Amino acid sequence: MKIVEQIKQPIAYEMDLFEQKFQLSMSSKVALLNRITHYIVNRKGKQMRPMFVFLVAKMVSRGEVRERTYRGASVIELIHTATLVHDDVVDDSNIRRGFFSVNALWKNKIAVLIGDYLLSKGLLLSIDNNDFDLLKIISVAVREMSEGELLQIEKARKLDITEDVYYEIIRQKTATLIAACCSLGAASVKPDSVHVETMRKFGELIGMAFQIKDDLFDYGDAQIGKPTGIDIKEQKMTLPLIHVLNHATKKDKKWLINSIKNHNKNAKRVKEVIAFVKQNGGLDYAISKMKTFQEEALALLKSYPDSEYKTALELMVNYVIDRKK
């Protein structure tokens, strides 16, 4: 059995019901909108976010989920989908999860409007049911995701990112959404309990490990084959590179910065940068940091009684850093 299927097993019933409720939450009287949302729903990814919501809710409440849990998962997915549709417009990206993006098929104007529509559907789903605590969790995540993206853009221009700033960027850009899923799962069944903050922290730690793993993919892997160097081409400063820059000699540092600033489209030079980062311990350092986040996340689960939901969450934490893509 695939690991994702194994993780999903204890919440298979909830995930099926969630899919039905999620499709209903997207519906509109406008035929064009329904056509596009139908297209989006049928090209879903692994659905890690709703899985986090349901697994945490069931672990914290010892097997219980509420109507609010389904709404919370739908809101997260609506708002997350809205940000992805907008991201594809911003990045001028024509492909999303192996399929054409919304903007590739229906152009930017419609894609932006679809994103706005999904965002408003998410907000209204919470407001109509007085789930203001859940709405707050999600709204904070959206604010932080936007701040993280802008912080990264601002820093990329100067290439002066410290390790602390890098952690802040990935905390906001990636970890905050997984943190929102986990704290929302807890809040949906045990509002105002200590679990809400514990699970937020748990999700944040997984998110940090997840993003470092993503950054490592850029340097290639035995399973993936050739390194891509896409981050270097886009002047994105990730942990392996930051670590090496901070410990390089003045001469090497100058060469690295010059390569990223002025030769980032030169394939040979990008390869040389990747080789330099590997030789100088950049990957090893990033892997050790990723494992630290993983261990801290697993430690937070120790206080919960054993259950199939806890086991699935432990599998999820390990999957995040063992995945091959």
Side-chain angles (χ1 to χ4, degrees):
M1 189 192 291
K2 276 189 177 164
I3 189 135
V4 177
E5 292 308 311
Q6 220 176 322
I7 295 165
K8 209 183 258 194
Q9 218 174 357
I11 49 164
Y13 170 79
E14 285 79 9
M15 289 298 289
D16 285 345
L17 190 51
F18 161 73
E19 286 207 19
Q20 296 165 30
K21 289 174 183 285
F22 180 56
Q23 290 199 17
L24 283 172
S25 70
M26 275 190 165
S27 66
S28 155
K29 293 188 182 78
V30 179
L32 175 63
L33 253 171
N34 284 336
R35 207 158 63 240
I36 298 171
T37 54
H38 181 74
Y39 178 80
I40 292 169
V41 167
N42 287 333
R43 279 147 195 79
K44 59 184 181 299
K46 295 187 193 82
Q47 292 194 297
M48 298 299 240
R49 277 155 296 275
M51 282 159 70
F52 273 122
V53 174
F54 290 114
L55 285 171
V56 167
K58 294 196 92 169
M59 180 184 74
V60 164
S61 67
R62 306 202 180 183
E64 181 197 351
V65 292
R66 296 181 182 169
E67 202 48 51
R68 223 163 102 78
T69 316
Y70 288 100
R71 286 198 299 269
S74 291
V75 173
I76 286 259
E77 208 59 350
L78 282 164
I79 290 177
H80 174 62
T81 308
T83 62
L84 293 183
V85 172
H86 282 168
D87 277 354
D88 286 340
V89 173
V90 171
D91 298 339
D92 203 12
S93 175
N94 291 327
I95 300 291
R96 163 74 58 188
R97 293 176 183 142
F99 296 95
F100 283 117
S101 58
V102 173
N103 49 300
L105 293 174
W106 286 281
K107 302 288 180 274
N108 283 351
K109 183 175 181 177
I110 287 177
V112 170
L113 293 169
I114 289 287
D116 293 346
Y117 172 77
L118 294 172
L119 186 64
S120 67
K121 283 294 249 189
L123 300 175
L124 286 167
L125 186 57
S126 293
I127 292 165
D128 290 346
N129 294 283
N130 293 328
D131 297 326
F132 296 110
D133 56 334
L134 305 185
L135 183 57
K136 183 169 184 186
I137 290 170
I138 294 157
S139 301
V140 167
V142 175
R143 182 197 72 203
E144 292 207 320
M145 283 157 68
S146 312
E147 285 178 348
E149 286 282 358
L150 287 163
L151 180 60
Q152 185 171 42
I153 291 166
E154 178 187 23
K155 292 294 177 183
R157 287 181 183 147
K158 296 183 189 153
L159 302 183
D160 64 346
I161 293 185
T162 62
E163 205 172 308
D164 284 346
V165 171
Y166 166 79
Y167 290 135
E168 186 53 21
I169 289 170
I170 69 168
R171 188 191 68 74
Q172 291 188 315
K173 253 187 72 173
T174 304
T176 192
L177 189 64
I178 299 173
C181 295
C182 296
S183 65
L184 186 140
S188 73
V189 286
K190 299 269 182 194
D192 304 319
S193 70
V194 65
H195 306 295
V196 180
E197 175 53 25
T198 305
M199 286 295 102
R200 186 201 66 76
K201 189 71 196 155
F202 168 74
E204 184 172 287
L205 290 163
I206 296 176
M208 302 292 277
F210 181 92
Q211 188 56 55
I212 295 173
K213 177 72 174 182
D214 251 21
D215 294 344
L216 285 164
F217 282 141
D218 203 50
Y219 288 87
D221 188 285
Q223 285 85 2
I224 308 161
K226 293 194 287 285
T228 62
I230 288 167
D231 288 341
I232 295 165
K233 288 174 193 137
E234 292 180 356
Q235 299 188 1
K236 271 186 194 158
M237 303 292 283
T238 61
L239 190 55
L241 184 58
I242 291 164
H243 176 72
V244 168
L245 264 174
N246 288 341
H247 294 84
T249 62
K250 215 171 184 176
K251 183 177 159 218
D252 286 339
K253 195 172 183 174
K254 197 175 169 188
W255 174 80
L256 276 168
I257 288 176
N258 181 35
S259 303
I260 296 157
K261 262 198 168 149
N262 305 313
H263 304 280
N264 58 333
K265 301 285 187 281
N266 177 331
K268 182 173 172 283
R269 192 71 168 256
V270 169
K271 259 188 193 155
E272 286 168 6
V273 171
I274 288 173
F276 186 89
V277 170
K278 284 180 174 173
Q279 283 155 14
N280 288 274
L283 299 199
D284 295 337
Y285 180 78
I287 288 165
S288 75
K289 284 291 180 188
M290 174 178 75
K291 289 191 168 158
T292 303
F293 286 122
Q294 176 201 23
E295 283 155 19
E296 286 176 21
L298 288 171
L300 285 178
L301 290 178
K302 282 203 169 78
S303 59
Y304 289 91
D306 288 342
S307 67
E308 55 182 335
Y309 316 115
K310 177 180 169 178
T311 305
L313 282 167
E314 287 168 344
L315 267 177
M316 185 87 106
V317 176
N318 294 327
Y319 168 72
V320 157
I321 73 160
D322 294 335
R323 68 202 161 95
K324 301 290 180 266
K325 61 178 179 179

